[in-house]
Amino acid sequence: MPQPASQLDAAAIKAVAAAVGLAPADVRMRLGGQLPRVLLIDSDSDRLAGAAAALDALGVRTVTCDPAAAPTDDERIIGRRVEADGDLLQVWDAAQTCHECPRDRIRLLQRGVRISSERRDVTTTQRRLDLGRAVISGGLMLTKKTTQVSTQVTETREPFLLVQRADGADDLILYERRLDYRFLGDDMQPSSHANFDRLVARLRVCFPAVPFDDRVGRPGFVSALPATTVDPTDLGLYLIALATLPSGRSAGGQFPSTL
């Protein structure tokens, strides 16, 4: 796995830039920060394949993928209740259907935060003193009605744990504020944040051999991804999932990322 740009020397940056047809300064900027990073976006699959081959020749592991292939919550089981021991994870959805996942079928645990913003227009009406109109009306009309429209942005943060399966079944996602924590018993705490921490810790103890990754929840990782039609959190989860495969993989051919 290559180093972040901050740890690459000028010769390495120049070699990567030549391989993908970018300026060295652009390569350094795009590879800065937490890996994996998106290095090249192009609709030309031949160009992407050529760039990937050139990077492979330099010893740089790459993954090419289509952002549209990134799974969303529409393709996941959203958990409401959890039970786990060393061999089996059980997750109940909102309909109280139990979804079982044996330990050897869990490929990856990803902890993160989904950040969503809601914009809405707010209309306010005020009456203000209007001296000009007061003079014209002989002092009988002192105010006028004014209407102002402003935009308010509300940001929502939802911590979650994504359980990615290795058997092709639907992944399981557990959101902090959507879970019933009574399964924690005497360990249950007053706040959902503390309960969620305990849940994550318990699952990591139950399944110590399952890889755990929290890059999607780290500051700056998701916000550094380029804008696409895909939710950036889902794109980040997808890139991490591809990055943790045993070897490089092509998954659609439109979105190469350097890992």
Side-chain angles (χ1 to χ4, degrees):
M1 184 174 291
Q3 300 168 311
S6 60
Q7 300 177 23
L8 294 176
D9 59 30
I13 290 290
K14 186 175 181 180
V16 171
V20 298
L22 294 172
D26 289 335
V27 169
R28 187 173 293 279
M29 177 186 68
R30 295 184 188 189
L31 291 187
Q34 179 68 58
L35 297 178
R37 299 282 289 174
V38 176
L39 180 60
L40 185 64
I41 305 174
D42 202 308
S43 59
D44 187 336
S45 59
D46 290 337
R47 184 184 177 210
L48 293 182
L55 290 171
D56 288 342
L58 294 173
V60 178
R61 182 186 168 207
T62 62
V63 175
T64 59
C65 65
D66 184 347
T72 69
D73 281 358
D74 291 338
E75 304 160 75
R76 301 176 181 127
I77 304 299
I78 300 177
R80 302 293 182 174
R81 182 164 64 90
V82 180
E83 293 287 349
D85 58 31
D87 297 311
L88 182 68
L89 173 66
Q90 294 176 299
V91 174
W92 284 261
D93 60 23
Q96 293 305 306
T97 300
C98 180
H99 304 267
E100 295 188 344
C101 184
R103 173 184 56 191
D104 59 359
R105 297 181 187 177
I106 303 176
R107 189 182 78 79
L108 177 65
L109 297 175
Q110 286 202 65
R111 183 172 185 171
V113 179
R114 187 181 296 281
I115 301 175
S116 56
S117 298
E118 179 184 2
R119 302 174 64 90
R120 65 188 183 96
D121 292 335
V122 179
T123 302
T124 56
T125 301
Q126 295 179 326
R127 285 193 173 275
R128 295 182 177 180
L129 180 65
D130 190 338
L131 295 178
R133 296 178 68 181
V135 170
I136 293 174
S137 63
L140 298 178
M141 191 172 187
L142 299 176
T143 63
K144 68 176 179 178
K145 187 177 181 180
T146 61
T147 300
Q148 183 176 9
V149 178
S150 59
T151 300
Q152 289 187 352
V153 180
T154 303
E155 184 178 272
T156 302
R157 299 172 61 87
E158 286 192 288
F160 64 83
L161 182 72
L162 177 62
V163 181
Q164 295 182 277
R165 301 185 60 147
D167 56 3
D170 291 338
D171 292 339
L172 311 167
I173 191 164
L174 310 174
Y175 284 100
E176 177 192 304
R177 289 187 289 275
R178 305 190 201 184
L179 289 170
D180 181 347
Y181 289 103
R182 283 178 290 181
F183 67 88
L184 290 174
D186 293 340
D187 287 339
M188 186 174 173
Q189 301 295 308
S191 73
S192 63
H193 178 74
N195 285 324
F196 189 69
D197 282 344
R198 278 169 167 71
L199 167 63
V200 173
R202 177 175 293 190
L203 293 184
R204 295 189 69 182
V205 169
C206 286
F207 311 113
V210 176
F212 176 82
D213 198 290
D214 65 354
R215 278 175 280 184
V216 169
R218 296 180 192 175
F221 178 76
V222 169
S223 61
L225 296 175
T228 70
T229 57
V230 178
D231 180 276
T233 299
D234 289 324
L235 178 58
L237 292 168
Y238 186 46
L239 293 178
I240 295 294
L242 294 178
T244 55
L245 288 172
S247 60
R249 169 184 168 183
S250 176
Q254 282 194 9
F255 204 113
S257 58
T258 300
L259 312 179

